[in-house]
Amino acid sequence: MSSRNATSRSRASTTNDDLTYQAMSNARSSTQITRAAGRAKTLLVSDYLKGVVTRHVVEALLAARADAAVPLVVDPKIPHLPAYAGATIVTPNHHEAEAATQRRILD
């Protein structure tokens, strides 16, 4: 077998392993979020664009908020702002609010 074929198979295996890990991680996150939301009075998310608050996590939080009938408060980052539709309150800072609304906000 050529080293090129071995490398291609290794990449495919890694990709499949990564997808399996991600699916397991997503399922675990959903379960933990649902459990925590059942005991919470409020769900709070502070998005720092570090890769922790993924689309899957946001979807799980929105579903948990609805199921547990608790508010979801989000401190967003602009690239993820549309993902938070359905949150109870979104609290952008001054710059983020201007970027989201495409309007200058004066003090």
Side-chain angles (χ1 to χ4, degrees), residues 13-84:
S13 175
T14 299
T15 301
N16 289 337
D17 290 346
D18 289 345
L19 291 175
T20 301
Y21 173 79
Q22 186 169 356
M24 289 171 49
S25 178
N26 287 345
R28 211 173 305 124
S29 295
S30 289
T31 300
Q32 291 172 344
I33 289 168
T34 301
R35 227 180 261 150
R39 298 184 309 266
K41 293 183 181 178
T42 303
L43 300 174
L44 174 64
V45 177
S46 191
D47 189 351
Y48 288 96
L49 291 178
K50 301 295 184 186
V52 175
V53 183
T54 64
R55 180 69 189 171
H56 179 81
V57 167
V58 172
E59 289 170 357
L61 284 162
L62 289 167
R65 180 203 73 76
D67 292 345
V70 296
L72 172 59
V73 179
V74 178
D75 179 19
K77 289 298 179 203
I78 293 303
H80 296 161
L81 194 58
Y84 296 116

Side-chain angles (χ1 to χ4, degrees), residues 96-104:
E96 293 163 341
E98 284 185 336
T101 61
Q102 297 180 347
R103 296 185 181 267
R104 178 109 170 101

